[in-house]
Amino acid sequence: MKLEIAVVSAAGAGIAASEGADRIELCSSLELGGITPSQGLMEASLEHVDGRLEIHPLIRCRPGDFRYSASDVDTMVHEIRHLLAQGAHGVVVGALTGAGELDVRILQRLADAARDANQDAELTFHRAIDQSKDPLGALEQLLELGFTRVLTSGHEATAGAGLPTLAAMAERAGADLQIMAGGGLALEDIPAMHKAGLSAVHLSAKRTVSTLGEGTISLGAQDGNDPTAYTVTDRETVRAAKAMVNALNGAEA
C-alpha cells in the first residue's frame, strides 16, 4: 500500500517528503475541492521534495462541476503541458458528461496532452468518479484510456462509508488499475482499506491556521467565514499515517 498526501504549499510538500509519503497531489484551494497549482508552486515544491517523492498536480481549471467547455479544456491542456515540462510525474484529471458518464472525448484529449509532454506520465482520475453514474462501469473505460489509478471514496461522502464499493472496484480493476481510497478518509479507516485490497490511500492531513482578531475586516469571504483562515499540512497526521501504512505492509510481508 502507498501513501499519497494532498498538499497546497511547498512547505506541505516538504513535510510529506520528510515523513516518507510516496506521492503528493499538488493543488491549490482545497477548501474549493482543489484547483490547478501555479507553476511557481510546482517549482518550489520540486525544490522542497528534492526527488524524495512523486509530484502529481491536480489539473482542474476551476471549482464547481466536472462538465467542461472547450475553453476549459484548452486551459487544462496548457496546464498539463507546463506542469509536466517542469518535472511532474503525472497529472490528476477528470471530466463528466451531463448524464454523469465519463466524458471520453475530453479525457482522451487530456491524456494525449500528457503523453505528448511525457510519454511516461501517469494519469490519475480524481473524485469526479464519485459523482459519476456508474463508478464500477467506468473502470473499463479508464483502462482503455491508459489511466494508472483512480482516486475515489467509493461513491459515498467518505471513504469509510464507501468501503464496500471500494472493495468491489479493487477486485474489478485487478492489477492493471490502482484504486486509491480518499475523501474524508480517517486514520482509523486505513487498516480496513488495506484488508479490502486497496493499493493506496490519500489524505489531505490538513489543519486550519487562523490569526483572526477583534476588528478583522473581511476582504470578500462569505459572511460567517474567518477571512484569515488557511490550511496547512499537519506533520503529525502524515507521520501517523505513514507509520500505519508501514505496519500494514510489514505484516503483509
Side-chain angles (χ1 to χ4, degrees), residues 115-192:
R115 295 190 187 100
D116 287 345
N118 178 357
Q119 63 179 0
D120 297 321
E122 295 186 354
L123 297 173
T124 301
F125 192 91
H126 57 51
R127 288 194 61 211
I129 199 165
D130 294 320
Q131 292 187 2
S132 70
K133 181 171 63 176
D134 180 12
L136 283 167
L139 299 181
E140 185 174 341
Q141 290 177 300
L142 292 174
L143 280 166
E144 291 174 356
L145 288 163
F147 274 74
T148 307
R149 69 181 59 84
V150 182
L151 170 62
T152 173
S153 61
H155 219 233
E156 297 287 348
T158 67
L163 181 58
T165 298
L166 286 167
M169 293 175 76
E171 183 176 1
R172 180 173 293 193
D176 296 323
L177 184 65
Q178 301 171 19
I179 305 300
M180 178 165 59
L185 183 73
L187 289 174
E188 54 267 27
D189 294 326
I190 294 177

Coordinates of all heavy atoms in Angstrom, one line a residue, residues 115-192:
R115 N 0.7 12.6 -22.6 CA 1.7 11.7 -23.2 C 2.6 12.5 -24.2 O 3.7 12.1 -24.4 CB 0.9 10.6 -23.9 CG 0.2 9.7 -22.9 CD -0.3 8.4 -23.6 NE -1.1 7.7 -22.6 CZ -2.5 7.7 -22.6 NH1 -3.1 8.4 -23.5 NH2 -3.1 7.0 -21.7
D116 N 2.0 13.5 -24.8 CA 2.8 14.4 -25.7 C 3.9 15.1 -24.9 O 5.1 15.3 -25.4 CB 2.0 15.4 -26.5 CG 1.1 14.8 -27.5 OD1 1.4 13.6 -27.9 OD2 0.2 15.4 -28.0
A117 N 3.6 15.5 -23.7 CA 4.6 16.2 -22.9 C 5.6 15.2 -22.2 O 6.7 15.5 -22.1 CB 3.9 17.0 -21.8
N118 N 5.1 14.0 -21.9 CA 5.9 13.0 -21.2 C 5.3 11.6 -21.4 O 4.2 11.4 -20.8 CB 6.1 13.3 -19.7 CG 7.0 12.2 -19.0 OD1 7.4 11.2 -19.6 ND2 7.2 12.4 -17.7
Q119 N 5.8 10.8 -22.3 CA 5.2 9.5 -22.6 C 5.1 8.6 -21.4 O 4.3 7.7 -21.4 CB 6.0 8.8 -23.7 CG 7.4 8.5 -23.4 CD 8.1 7.7 -24.5 OE1 7.5 7.5 -25.6 NE2 9.3 7.4 -24.3
D120 N 5.8 8.9 -20.3 CA 5.8 8.1 -19.1 C 4.9 8.7 -18.1 O 4.8 8.1 -16.9 CB 7.2 7.8 -18.6 CG 8.1 7.1 -19.5 OD1 7.6 6.1 -20.2 OD2 9.3 7.5 -19.6
A121 N 4.2 9.8 -18.3 CA 3.4 10.4 -17.3 C 2.3 9.5 -16.9 O 1.6 8.9 -17.7 CB 2.8 11.7 -17.9
E122 N 2.1 9.4 -15.6 CA 1.0 8.7 -15.0 C -0.3 9.5 -15.0 O -0.3 10.7 -14.9 CB 1.3 8.2 -13.6 CG 2.4 7.2 -13.5 CD 2.7 6.7 -12.1 OE1 2.0 7.1 -11.2 OE2 3.5 5.8 -12.0
L123 N -1.4 8.8 -15.2 CA -2.7 9.5 -15.2 C -3.6 9.0 -14.1 O -3.8 7.8 -13.9 CB -3.5 9.2 -16.5 CG -2.8 9.7 -17.8 CD1 -3.6 9.2 -19.0 CD2 -2.8 11.3 -17.8
T124 N -4.0 9.9 -13.2 CA -4.9 9.6 -12.1 C -6.3 10.3 -12.4 O -6.3 11.5 -12.7 CB -4.4 10.1 -10.8 OG1 -3.1 9.5 -10.5 CG2 -5.4 9.8 -9.6
F125 N -7.4 9.5 -12.3 CA -8.7 10.0 -12.4 C -9.2 10.4 -11.0 O -9.1 9.6 -10.1 CB -9.7 9.0 -13.1 CG -11.0 9.6 -13.5 CD1 -11.2 10.1 -14.8 CD2 -12.1 9.7 -12.6 CE1 -12.4 10.7 -15.2 CE2 -13.3 10.3 -13.0 CZ -13.4 10.8 -14.3
H126 N -9.6 11.7 -10.8 CA -9.9 12.1 -9.5 C -11.3 11.8 -9.1 O -12.0 11.0 -9.7 CB -9.5 13.6 -9.3 CG -10.2 14.5 -10.3 ND1 -11.6 14.5 -10.5 CD2 -9.7 15.5 -11.1 CE1 -11.9 15.5 -11.4 NE2 -10.7 16.1 -11.8
R127 N -11.8 12.5 -8.0 CA -13.0 12.1 -7.4 C -14.3 12.5 -8.2 O -15.4 12.3 -7.7 CB -13.1 12.7 -6.0 CG -12.2 11.9 -5.0 CD -12.5 12.2 -3.6 NE -13.9 11.8 -3.2 CZ -14.7 12.5 -2.4 NH1 -14.2 13.5 -1.7 NH2 -15.9 12.0 -2.1
A128 N -14.1 13.0 -9.4 CA -15.2 13.2 -10.3 C -15.9 11.8 -10.4 O -17.1 11.8 -10.6 CB -14.8 13.7 -11.6
I129 N -15.2 10.7 -10.3 CA -15.8 9.4 -10.4 C -16.9 9.2 -9.3 O -17.8 8.4 -9.6 CB -14.8 8.3 -10.3 CG1 -15.3 7.0 -10.9 CG2 -14.2 8.1 -8.9 CD1 -14.3 6.0 -11.2
D130 N -16.8 9.9 -8.2 CA -17.8 9.8 -7.2 C -19.1 10.5 -7.5 O -20.1 10.4 -6.8 CB -17.2 10.2 -5.8 CG -16.1 9.2 -5.4 OD1 -16.3 8.0 -5.5 OD2 -15.1 9.7 -4.8
Q131 N -19.0 11.3 -8.5 CA -20.3 12.0 -9.0 C -20.7 11.4 -10.3 O -21.7 11.8 -10.9 CB -20.0 13.5 -9.2 CG -19.8 14.3 -7.9 CD -19.7 15.8 -8.1 OE1 -19.9 16.3 -9.2 NE2 -19.5 16.5 -7.0
S132 N -20.1 10.3 -10.7 CA -20.5 9.6 -11.9 C -21.6 8.7 -11.7 O -21.9 8.3 -10.5 CB -19.3 8.8 -12.5 OG -19.0 7.7 -11.7
K133 N -22.3 8.3 -12.7 CA -23.5 7.4 -12.6 C -23.1 6.0 -12.2 O -23.8 5.3 -11.5 CB -24.2 7.4 -14.0 CG -25.5 6.6 -14.0 CD -26.3 6.9 -15.3 CE -25.5 6.4 -16.5 NZ -26.2 6.6 -17.8
D134 N -22.0 5.5 -12.7 CA -21.6 4.1 -12.6 C -20.1 4.0 -12.4 O -19.3 3.7 -13.4 CB -22.0 3.3 -13.8 CG -21.7 1.8 -13.7 OD1 -21.3 1.3 -12.6 OD2 -21.8 1.1 -14.7
P135 N -19.6 4.1 -11.2 CA -18.2 4.1 -10.9 C -17.5 2.8 -11.3 O -16.4 2.7 -11.7 CB -18.0 4.4 -9.4 CG -19.3 4.1 -8.8 CD -20.4 4.4 -9.9
L136 N -18.2 1.7 -11.1 CA -17.7 0.4 -11.4 C -17.5 0.2 -12.9 O -16.5 -0.2 -13.4 CB -18.5 -0.7 -10.8 CG -18.3 -1.0 -9.3 CD1 -19.4 -1.9 -8.8 CD2 -17.0 -1.6 -9.0
G137 N -18.6 0.6 -13.6 CA -18.6 0.5 -15.1 C -17.5 1.4 -15.7 O -17.1 1.2 -16.8
A138 N -17.2 2.5 -15.0 CA -16.2 3.5 -15.6 C -14.8 2.9 -15.6 O -14.0 3.4 -16.4 CB -16.2 4.8 -14.8
L139 N -14.5 1.9 -14.8 CA -13.1 1.4 -14.7 C -12.6 0.9 -16.1 O -11.5 1.1 -16.4 CB -13.1 0.3 -13.7 CG -13.4 0.7 -12.2 CD1 -13.3 -0.4 -11.3 CD2 -12.6 1.9 -11.8
E140 N -13.4 0.2 -16.8 CA -13.0 -0.4 -18.1 C -12.6 0.8 -19.1 O -11.6 0.7 -19.8 CB -14.1 -1.3 -18.7 CG -13.7 -1.9 -20.0 CD -14.7 -2.9 -20.5 OE1 -15.6 -3.4 -19.8 OE2 -14.6 -3.2 -21.7
Q141 N -13.4 1.8 -19.1 CA -13.1 3.0 -19.9 C -11.8 3.6 -19.5 O -11.0 4.0 -20.4 CB -14.2 4.0 -19.8 CG -15.5 3.6 -20.5 CD -16.6 4.6 -20.3 OE1 -17.0 5.0 -19.2 NE2 -17.1 5.2 -21.4
L142 N -11.5 3.7 -18.2 CA -10.3 4.3 -17.8 C -9.1 3.4 -18.2 O -8.0 4.0 -18.5 CB -10.3 4.5 -16.3 CG -11.3 5.6 -15.8 CD1 -11.4 5.6 -14.3 CD2 -11.0 7.0 -16.4
L143 N -9.3 2.1 -18.1 CA -8.2 1.2 -18.6 C -7.9 1.4 -20.0 O -6.8 1.5 -20.5 CB -8.6 -0.2 -18.3 CG -8.4 -0.7 -16.8 CD1 -9.1 -2.0 -16.6 CD2 -6.9 -0.8 -16.5
E144 N -9.0 1.6 -20.8 CA -8.8 1.8 -22.3 C -8.1 3.1 -22.6 O -7.3 3.2 -23.6 CB -10.1 1.7 -23.0 CG -10.8 0.3 -23.0 CD -12.2 0.3 -23.5 OE1 -12.7 1.4 -23.8 OE2 -12.8 -0.8 -23.7
L145 N -8.3 4.1 -21.7 CA -7.7 5.4 -21.9 C -6.3 5.5 -21.4 O -5.6 6.5 -21.6 CB -8.6 6.5 -21.2 CG -9.9 6.8 -21.9 CD1 -10.8 7.6 -20.9 CD2 -9.7 7.7 -23.1
G146 N -5.8 4.4 -20.7 CA -4.5 4.3 -20.2 C -4.2 4.9 -18.9 O -3.1 5.3 -18.5
F147 N -5.3 5.0 -18.1 CA -5.1 5.6 -16.7 C -4.4 4.7 -15.8 O -4.5 3.4 -16.0 CB -6.5 6.0 -16.1 CG -7.0 7.3 -16.5 CD1 -7.4 7.6 -17.8 CD2 -6.9 8.4 -15.6 CE1 -7.9 8.8 -18.2 CE2 -7.3 9.7 -16.0 CZ -7.8 9.9 -17.3
T148 N -3.6 5.2 -14.9 CA -2.8 4.5 -13.9 C -3.6 4.2 -12.7 O -3.5 3.0 -12.1 CB -1.6 5.3 -13.5 OG1 -0.9 5.7 -14.7 CG2 -0.7 4.5 -12.6
R149 N -4.4 5.1 -12.2 CA -5.1 4.9 -10.9 C -6.3 5.8 -10.8 O -6.5 6.7 -11.7 CB -4.2 5.2 -9.7 CG -3.8 6.7 -9.5 CD -2.9 6.9 -8.3 NE -1.7 6.1 -8.4 CZ -0.6 6.5 -9.1 NH1 -0.6 7.7 -9.7 NH2 0.5 5.8 -9.2
V150 N -7.2 5.5 -9.8 CA -8.4 6.2 -9.6 C -8.5 6.6 -8.1 O -8.3 5.8 -7.3 CB -9.6 5.3 -9.9 CG1 -10.9 6.1 -9.7 CG2 -9.6 4.8 -11.3
L151 N -8.7 7.9 -7.9 CA -8.9 8.4 -6.5 C -10.4 8.4 -6.3 O -11.2 9.1 -7.0 CB -8.3 9.8 -6.3 CG -8.7 10.5 -5.0 CD1 -8.2 9.7 -3.8 CD2 -8.1 11.9 -5.1
T152 N -10.9 7.7 -5.2 CA -12.3 7.6 -5.0 C -12.7 7.3 -3.6 O -11.9 6.7 -2.8 CB -12.9 6.5 -5.9 OG1 -14.3 6.3 -5.6 CG2 -12.2 5.2 -5.8
S153 N -13.8 7.8 -3.2 CA -14.4 7.5 -1.8 C -15.4 6.4 -1.9 O -16.1 6.2 -1.0 CB -15.0 8.7 -1.2 OG -16.1 9.2 -2.0
G154 N -15.5 5.7 -3.1 CA -16.4 4.6 -3.2 C -17.9 5.1 -3.4 O -18.8 4.5 -2.9
H155 N -18.0 6.3 -4.1 CA -19.3 6.8 -4.4 C -20.1 7.2 -3.2 O -21.3 7.3 -3.2 CB -20.1 5.7 -5.2 CG -20.9 6.3 -6.3 ND1 -22.3 6.1 -6.5 CD2 -20.6 7.2 -7.3 CE1 -22.8 6.7 -7.5 NE2 -21.8 7.4 -8.1
E156 N -19.4 7.5 -2.1 CA -20.0 8.0 -0.8 C -19.3 9.2 -0.4 O -18.3 9.6 -0.9 CB -19.9 6.9 0.3 CG -20.6 5.6 0.0 CD -22.2 5.7 0.1 OE1 -22.7 6.8 0.6 OE2 -22.9 4.8 -0.3
A157 N -19.9 9.9 0.6 CA -19.3 11.2 1.1 C -17.9 11.0 1.7 O -17.1 11.8 1.7 CB -20.3 11.8 2.1
T158 N -17.7 9.8 2.3 CA -16.4 9.5 2.9 C -16.0 8.1 2.4 O -16.8 7.2 2.1 CB -16.5 9.5 4.4 OG1 -17.3 8.4 4.9 CG2 -17.0 10.8 4.9
A159 N -14.7 7.9 2.4 CA -14.1 6.6 2.0 C -14.6 5.5 3.0 O -14.8 4.3 2.6 CB -12.6 6.6 1.9
G160 N -14.7 5.8 4.3 CA -15.1 4.8 5.2 C -16.5 4.3 4.9 O -16.8 3.1 4.9
A161 N -17.4 5.2 4.6 CA -18.8 4.7 4.2 C -18.8 4.0 2.8 O -19.7 3.2 2.6 CB -19.7 6.0 4.1
G162 N -17.8 4.3 2.0 CA -17.8 3.7 0.7 C -17.0 2.4 0.6 O -16.7 1.9 -0.5
L163 N -16.6 1.9 1.7 CA -15.7 0.7 1.7 C -16.2 -0.5 0.8 O -15.4 -1.1 0.1 CB -15.4 0.2 3.1 CG -14.5 -1.0 3.3 CD1 -13.1 -0.7 2.6 CD2 -14.3 -1.3 4.7
P164 N -17.5 -0.8 0.9 CA -18.0 -2.0 0.1 C -17.7 -1.7 -1.4 O -17.3 -2.6 -2.1 CB -19.5 -2.1 0.4 CG -19.6 -1.5 1.8 CD -18.6 -0.4 1.8
T165 N -18.0 -0.5 -1.9 CA -17.8 -0.2 -3.3 C -16.3 -0.1 -3.6 O -15.9 -0.6 -4.7 CB -18.5 1.1 -3.7 OG1 -19.9 1.0 -3.5 CG2 -18.3 1.5 -5.1
L166 N -15.5 0.4 -2.7 CA -14.1 0.5 -2.9 C -13.5 -0.9 -3.1 O -12.7 -1.2 -4.0 CB -13.4 1.2 -1.7 CG -13.5 2.7 -1.7 CD1 -13.1 3.2 -0.3 CD2 -12.7 3.3 -2.8
A167 N -14.0 -1.9 -2.2 CA -13.5 -3.3 -2.4 C -13.9 -3.9 -3.7 O -13.1 -4.6 -4.3 CB -14.1 -4.1 -1.2
A168 N -15.2 -3.6 -4.1 CA -15.6 -4.1 -5.4 C -14.8 -3.5 -6.6 O -14.5 -4.2 -7.5 CB -17.1 -3.8 -5.6
M169 N -14.5 -2.2 -6.5 CA -13.7 -1.6 -7.5 C -12.3 -2.2 -7.6 O -11.8 -2.4 -8.6 CB -13.6 -0.1 -7.2 CG -14.9 0.7 -7.4 SD -14.9 2.4 -7.0 CE -14.0 3.1 -8.4
A170 N -11.7 -2.4 -6.4 CA -10.3 -3.0 -6.4 C -10.4 -4.4 -7.0 O -9.4 -4.8 -7.7 CB -9.8 -3.1 -4.9
E171 N -11.4 -5.2 -6.7 CA -11.5 -6.5 -7.3 C -11.7 -6.5 -8.8 O -11.0 -7.2 -9.5 CB -12.7 -7.3 -6.6 CG -12.8 -8.7 -7.1 CD -13.9 -9.5 -6.4 OE1 -14.6 -8.9 -5.6 OE2 -14.1 -10.7 -6.7
R172 N -12.5 -5.6 -9.3 CA -12.7 -5.5 -10.7 C -11.5 -4.9 -11.4 O -11.2 -5.4 -12.5 CB -13.9 -4.6 -11.0 CG -14.2 -4.5 -12.5 CD -15.5 -3.8 -12.8 NE -16.7 -4.5 -12.4 CZ -17.9 -4.2 -12.7 NH1 -18.1 -3.2 -13.6 NH2 -19.0 -4.9 -12.3
A173 N -10.8 -4.0 -10.8 CA -9.7 -3.3 -11.5 C -8.5 -4.3 -11.6 O -7.7 -4.2 -12.6 CB -9.3 -2.1 -10.8
G174 N -8.3 -5.2 -10.6 CA -7.2 -6.1 -10.6 C -5.9 -5.3 -10.5 O -5.8 -4.3 -9.9
A175 N -4.9 -5.9 -11.2 CA -3.5 -5.3 -11.1 C -3.3 -4.2 -12.1 O -2.2 -3.5 -12.0 CB -2.5 -6.4 -11.2
D176 N -4.2 -4.0 -13.0 CA -4.0 -3.0 -14.1 C -4.3 -1.6 -13.8 O -3.9 -0.7 -14.5 CB -4.7 -3.5 -15.4 CG -4.3 -4.8 -15.9 OD1 -3.0 -5.1 -15.8 OD2 -5.1 -5.7 -16.3
L177 N -5.1 -1.4 -12.8 CA -5.6 0.0 -12.4 C -5.6 0.1 -10.9 O -6.3 -0.7 -10.2 CB -7.0 0.2 -13.0 CG -7.6 1.6 -12.8 CD1 -6.7 2.7 -13.6 CD2 -9.0 1.7 -13.3
Q178 N -4.8 1.0 -10.4 CA -4.7 1.2 -8.9 C -6.0 1.9 -8.4 O -6.4 3.0 -9.0 CB -3.5 2.0 -8.6 CG -2.2 1.4 -9.0 CD -1.0 2.3 -8.8 OE1 -1.1 3.3 -8.0 NE2 0.1 2.0 -9.5
I179 N -6.6 1.4 -7.4 CA -7.7 2.1 -6.7 C -7.2 2.7 -5.4 O -6.7 1.9 -4.6 CB -8.9 1.1 -6.4 CG1 -9.3 0.4 -7.7 CG2 -10.0 1.8 -5.8 CD1 -9.8 1.3 -8.8
M180 N -7.3 4.0 -5.3 CA -6.7 4.7 -4.2 C -7.9 5.3 -3.4 O -8.7 6.1 -3.9 CB -5.8 5.8 -4.7 CG -5.2 6.7 -3.6 SD -3.8 7.7 -4.1 CE -4.5 8.6 -5.5
A181 N -8.0 4.9 -2.2 CA -9.1 5.4 -1.3 C -8.8 6.8 -0.8 O -7.7 7.1 -0.2 CB -9.3 4.5 -0.1
G182 N -9.7 7.7 -1.0 CA -9.5 9.1 -0.4 C -10.9 9.8 -0.4 O -11.8 9.5 -1.1
G183 N -10.9 10.9 0.4 CA -12.1 11.6 0.5 C -12.7 11.4 1.9 O -13.4 10.3 2.1
G184 N -12.4 12.2 2.9 CA -12.9 12.0 4.2 C -12.3 10.8 4.9 O -12.9 10.2 5.8
L185 N -11.2 10.4 4.4 CA -10.5 9.2 5.0 C -9.9 9.5 6.3 O -9.1 10.4 6.5 CB -9.4 8.7 4.0 CG -8.7 7.4 4.4 CD1 -9.6 6.2 4.2 CD2 -7.4 7.2 3.6
A186 N -10.3 8.7 7.4 CA -9.7 8.9 8.7 C -8.6 7.8 8.9 O -8.6 6.8 8.2 CB -10.8 8.6 9.7
L187 N -7.7 8.2 9.8 CA -6.6 7.3 10.0 C -7.1 5.9 10.4 O -6.5 4.8 10.0 CB -5.7 7.8 11.2 CG -4.8 9.0 10.8 CD1 -4.1 9.5 12.1 CD2 -3.8 8.7 9.7
E188 N -8.1 5.8 11.2 CA -8.6 4.5 11.6 C -9.3 3.7 10.5 O -9.5 2.5 10.7 CB -9.6 4.7 12.8 CG -10.8 5.6 12.5 CD -10.5 7.1 13.0 OE1 -9.3 7.5 13.0 OE2 -11.5 7.8 13.3
D189 N -9.5 4.3 9.4 CA -10.0 3.6 8.2 C -9.0 2.8 7.5 O -9.3 1.9 6.7 CB -10.7 4.6 7.2 CG -11.9 5.3 7.8 OD1 -12.6 4.6 8.6 OD2 -12.2 6.4 7.4
I190 N -7.7 3.2 7.6 CA -6.6 2.7 6.8 C -6.5 1.1 6.9 O -6.4 0.5 5.8 CB -5.3 3.4 7.1 CG1 -5.4 4.8 6.7 CG2 -4.2 2.7 6.4 CD1 -4.2 5.7 7.0
P191 N -6.6 0.5 8.1 CA -6.5 -1.0 8.1 C -7.6 -1.7 7.3 O -7.3 -2.7 6.6 CB -6.6 -1.3 9.6 CG -6.1 -0.1 10.3 CD -6.5 1.1 9.4
A192 N -8.8 -1.1 7.3 CA -9.9 -1.8 6.6 C -9.6 -1.6 5.1 O -10.0 -2.5 4.3 CB -11.2 -1.1 7.0

